Amino acid sequence: MGSKEGTGLRERTKEKEISISLEQVEDKSSFPPSPTSPDSDHITEWEGKGIPDLRQRNWVYMSLEFLEKGFGQLEENQKKVLKWIVFGLLGFLYFAYLIYGLVRHFHEAVPLLVITLLVVGYSLAKYVINRWGDEWKKIFKESKCMETSNQQKKVLRWAMYFFLVVFLLVMIAATGVFHSWIREPRRMVSVLGLIVMLSTSLLCSRHPTKIRWRTVFWGVYLQIFFGVLILRTRLGFEFFQWIGKEVEAFLNYTTVGATFVFGPQDLALRSFLFEILPVIIFTSAMFALFYHLGLMQIVISAFAFIMHHTMGVSGAESFGAASNVFVGCSTAPLAIKPYLNDFTTSEMHSLMVGGLATIAGSVLAIYIKFGVSAAHLLSASIMSAPASLVVAKMFIPEVDKPKTANHAVVSDCGKKSKNCFEALYNGAIDGLKICGYIIANILTILCVLALINNILQWLGELADIEGLSFQLICRYLLYPLAWILGTDPEDCMEVAELIGIKTFLNEYIAYEYLSTYIRENTITSRSQIIVTYAICGFSHVGSIGVLLGGLAPLVPDRLSEISSLCVRALVSACIACFMTACVAGFLYDEGRRYHGGSPEDFTTAPPF
């Protein structure tokens, strides 16, 4: 009994304590007041109980809160003034630093001066267009002196075409191209190859009578113009050579991170995985940062503007083609995602061809690491962009009205990052995904290639054919193609092999084989340049899967249509790359070089 009474007493005591605690919770006066509360009656009460004054303990917090409110009101009232003061001060400090650098180290500071002038010029042009562009456009449209009849427009258009053709011919003659053709008539083979590629596109056209020859003319014109500028003029060649060297120097920073991760030993001895793949991660992260800062959009919009106003393609179409030059076939569609559902069949085909005919900047680093000239890789990718539109528009001409037919620039709708760190992180993750794709792709293809070669060797031995392999078959089957591109006859076998490896396997392995030929001096420098341009693109069988994987999630309702265009897009992209190789074939001349440099510095321009 005693134990039961004791237990009951303890339970009643607990219930009483709980009820007292609940009463204290309900009573607001049992808690210390907020430090900002105007009610100070309870402060002395809590101080008497030995509890410190919270107002004294949080005076720093209260001061910061006061300053925050004050600056918030000041920023809201004088936001523009503060903005101009801050930017003006930063601009003054920057230009003071630039002037000091030019005075002290002029030659080293020239690149910074050029970049500054470009940024200032672009900013001023953008401000003027945003401020007065609509007014000028309205005045231009209302001006009666600009009203012309259709007949006058036609005459002006043909006069412009005539002037441009004459200008290009004069440019070609002034840079010694005709003299090279007379001295070496075999260069005309590349001209014949360009005609054959255009004729093939015409024969494969779905609607030959609907082809817009304006697009064809301007595409070929831009290709030849860029080719003459890069391969035949001192200024153009040195500019791209400078860009190539700067890119190589930029990529060398990868060694710092790769050495920290994989160790201080020579990375070249650690195979493809440790030397090449870190370059992709670094490059992808930097491209994502440039995209976040808006630098990539400026360059892409400039290319898109040129192609839209010259070739007459739609704004979204030209923007996608320009994006493919820098970000690749799986990422470029994201920039024009809202327009994809309204794309015509011709526009969708052009987007696919552009993605397969060019290479992304993130994987460009791999080919440079293989020892291929960075300048020629850059020019090849740029020259293939208009070529891809030419071939795509000949294979499937436009028969509908594109939604962005009259818009030169479309809004960039790609995924946005909130800050620079997020952009770098997302870019690094995307680079890691690319690395995984490359590792899996190369590993699988090399294994399959070894299996095929063993089977072919076994079959060849049964027929008393020695050394039968996939490479040997490509050498003979694609020999005519290599020849018509303008390759030196003694190198046609090797070039045909590289084209076959690139088309049926992938371009990574083809460039690796090419780097071996370059190191061993197996083929001439002219053949090296031609094959560099011919295989510079994602136009191989494996990229069809990548292309479908990038487009299908964006437009799932058009998956069957996209799948039906894949083979045509692959063939069109291959022809576009071969067109670029033909242009390089009849313009490039290894007989001249600048600065007495190495063979990779060869160009054809006379020293003027």
Side-chain angles (χ1 to χ4, degrees):
M1 292 290 293
S3 61
K4 291 183 178 180
E5 291 178 357
T7 303
L9 181 62
R10 285 194 297 272
E11 291 179 352
R12 287 193 297 271
T13 303
K14 286 184 177 180
E15 292 177 357
K16 186 176 181 181
E17 291 176 352
I18 293 172
S19 63
I20 293 174
S21 299
L22 292 174
E23 290 176 358
Q24 291 177 349
V25 170
E26 293 175 357
D27 185 9
K28 296 182 179 179
S29 64
S30 61
F31 291 96
S34 169
T36 58
S37 173
D39 186 8
S40 60
D41 296 337
H42 299 289
I43 298 297
T44 55
E45 178 183 346
W46 281 91
E47 288 178 351
K49 296 180 181 180
I51 298 176
D53 187 352
L54 296 181
R55 291 179 303 177
Q56 296 177 0
R57 189 180 66 178
N58 291 333
W59 68 270
V60 176
Y61 172 81
M62 295 173 64
S63 301
L64 292 175
E65 189 178 40
F66 174 78
L67 292 174
E68 182 181 3
K69 290 181 179 179
F71 278 113
Q73 293 177 356
L74 178 63
E75 181 182 5
E76 184 177 352
N77 297 332
Q78 304 293 337
K79 190 173 182 179
K80 286 187 176 181
V81 177
L82 289 174
K83 180 180 177 181
W84 282 109
I85 291 175
V86 172
F87 280 111
L89 180 61
L90 292 176
F92 173 78
L93 294 175
Y94 174 79
F95 281 104
Y97 169 78
L98 177 63
I99 294 172
Y100 179 81
L102 289 171
V103 173
R104 299 284 296 176
H105 308 283
F106 179 78
H107 294 289
E108 291 80 359
V110 166
L112 183 60
L113 175 63
V114 173
I115 294 173
T116 303
L117 292 176
L118 290 175
V119 172
V120 171
Y122 172 79
S123 302
L124 288 176
K126 187 175 181 180
Y127 174 79
V128 170
I129 292 173
N130 292 337
R131 180 68 177 83
W132 295 289
D134 294 336
E135 297 179 7
W136 290 350
K137 190 181 296 184
K138 184 178 180 180
I139 294 173
F140 184 79
K141 287 183 178 180
E142 294 177 354
S143 177
K144 294 183 179 180
C145 63
M146 298 304 299
E147 294 181 359
T148 56
S149 63
N150 292 332
Q151 185 65 26
Q152 290 175 324
K153 290 180 179 179
K154 187 176 181 180
V155 172
L156 290 174
R157 183 168 62 250
W158 281 105
M160 181 185 64
Y161 287 162
F162 176 78
F163 170 77
L164 290 171
V165 170
V166 171
F167 172 77
L168 185 61
L169 290 176
V170 171
M171 189 176 178
I172 290 174
T175 53
V177 177
F178 293 141
H179 181 265
S180 298
W181 292 356
I182 296 172
R183 190 179 71 251
E184 298 178 82
R186 62 185 176 86
R187 295 182 178 276
M188 295 299 295
V189 175
S190 297
V191 179
L192 175 62
L194 183 62
I195 297 173
V196 169
M197 298 304 160
L198 292 173
S199 302
T200 304
S201 302
L202 178 62
L203 292 174
C204 297
S205 177
R206 180 179 290 183
H207 307 287
T209 58
K210 299 292 185 179
I211 295 176
R212 294 190 64 187
W213 294 106
R214 171 191 172 184
T215 303
V216 177
F217 168 82
W218 273 107
V220 176
Y221 185 93
L222 290 175
Q223 258 202 314
I224 298 176
F225 176 79
F226 283 130
V228 173
L229 186 66
I230 297 166
L231 299 174
R232 284 279 176 175
T233 64
R234 178 189 291 272
L235 178 63
F237 180 81
E238 289 185 347
F239 176 72
F240 272 83
Q241 194 75 7
W242 174 77
I243 292 179
K245 290 179 179 179
E246 293 301 318
V247 169
E248 291 179 4
F250 175 76
L251 296 177
N252 287 334
Y253 290 108
T254 310
T255 307
V256 179
T259 301
F260 177 81
V261 174
F262 302 120
Q265 291 81 5
D266 188 3
L267 293 175
L269 302 177
R270 293 176 175 267
S271 76
F272 175 86
L273 178 64
F274 302 110
E275 183 184 12
I276 303 298
L277 297 186
V279 175
I280 301 175
I281 297 176
F282 175 63
T283 308
S284 178
M286 294 306 299
F287 264 80
L289 177 62
F290 295 154
Y291 213 92
H292 171 73
L293 296 175
L295 301 178
M296 295 301 302
Q297 290 89 323
I298 295 174
V299 179
I300 292 172
S301 298
F303 276 96
F305 183 86
I306 293 172
M307 288 188 287
H308 171 75
H309 284 285
T310 55
M311 303 180 67
V313 294
S314 67
E317 195 174 13
S318 59
F319 194 87
S323 300
N324 279 316
V325 177
F326 302 96
V327 297
C329 60
S330 60
T331 308
L334 295 174
I336 52 175
K337 180 181 177 181
Y339 304 95
L340 291 178
N341 280 323
D342 298 320
F343 259 27
T344 64
T345 301
S346 179
E347 285 182 302
M348 188 65 72
H349 180 251
S350 297
L351 179 65
M352 297 170 67
V353 174
L356 295 177
T358 55
I359 57 174
S362 56
V363 298
L364 181 71
I366 299 180
Y367 315 142
I368 296 174
K369 284 292 184 179
F370 282 155
V372 184
S373 171
H376 290 298
L377 286 171
L378 290 169
S379 60
S381 190
I382 293 173
M383 290 168 61
S384 292
S388 67
L389 289 175
V390 169
V391 181
K393 289 302 184 182
M394 292 185 74
F395 264 67
I396 303 182
E398 188 65 78
V399 294
D400 301 313
K401 180 70 173 179
K403 185 177 180 180
T404 59
N406 299 320
H407 300 281
V409 180
V410 299
S411 59
D412 174 28
C413 308
K415 183 180 179 180
K416 304 294 184 182
S417 300
K418 294 182 179 179
N419 52 57
C420 295
F421 295 105
E422 183 182 356
L424 285 171
Y425 171 80
N426 292 333
I429 296 300
D430 291 338
L432 186 61
K433 294 176 182 178
I434 296 173
C435 289
Y437 162 74
I438 292 174
I439 292 173
N441 200 356
I442 291 179
L443 188 148
T444 303
I445 287 175
L446 289 177
C447 294
V448 171
L449 180 61
L451 174 63
I452 292 174
N453 283 338
N454 282 330
I455 294 175
L456 290 175
Q457 185 178 2
W458 172 63
L459 295 175
E461 290 175 353
L462 294 179
D464 295 329
I465 302 176
E466 295 184 2
L468 184 62
S469 64
F470 175 79
Q471 292 91 327
L472 184 63
I473 293 174
C474 289
R475 286 187 173 208
Y476 284 99
L477 287 180
L478 300 177
Y479 184 97
L481 176 60
W483 179 83
I484 206 168
L485 295 180
T487 308
D488 292 331
E490 62 271 18
D491 299 329
C492 284
M493 285 286 193
E494 289 78 8
V495 172
E497 175 189 351
L498 293 175
I499 293 175
I501 291 174
K502 177 255 185 178
T503 304
F504 298 105
L505 300 180
N506 66 25
E507 72 282 357
Y508 307 112
I509 301 175
Y511 274 116
E512 188 174 10
Y513 275 68
L514 176 59
S515 66
T516 303
Y517 290 155
I518 293 175
R519 287 195 304 269
E520 298 176 355
N521 201 22
T522 305
I523 58 179
T524 63
S525 57
R526 171 180 166 80
S527 299
Q528 291 175 19
I529 297 302
I530 290 176
V531 74
T532 297
Y533 283 75
I535 64 177
C536 187
F538 290 142
S539 51
H540 56 83
V541 177
S543 288
I544 292 179
V546 179
L547 192 63
L548 283 174
L551 281 175
L554 302 180
V555 279
D557 297 335
R558 304 184 64 175
L559 179 59
S560 59
E561 179 187 2
I562 296 173
S563 301
S564 65
L565 295 174
C566 282
V567 176
R568 280 180 172 267
L570 177 61
V571 176
S572 301
C574 289
I575 293 177
C577 293
F578 298 152
M579 286 176 60
T580 306
C582 290
V583 173
F586 69 75
L587 292 178
Y588 184 77
D589 185 3
E590 68 277 11
R592 295 174 183 259
R593 69 182 77 176
Y594 288 132
H595 313 304
S598 60
E600 65 181 9
D601 295 327
F602 285 163
T603 187
T604 60
F608 61 84

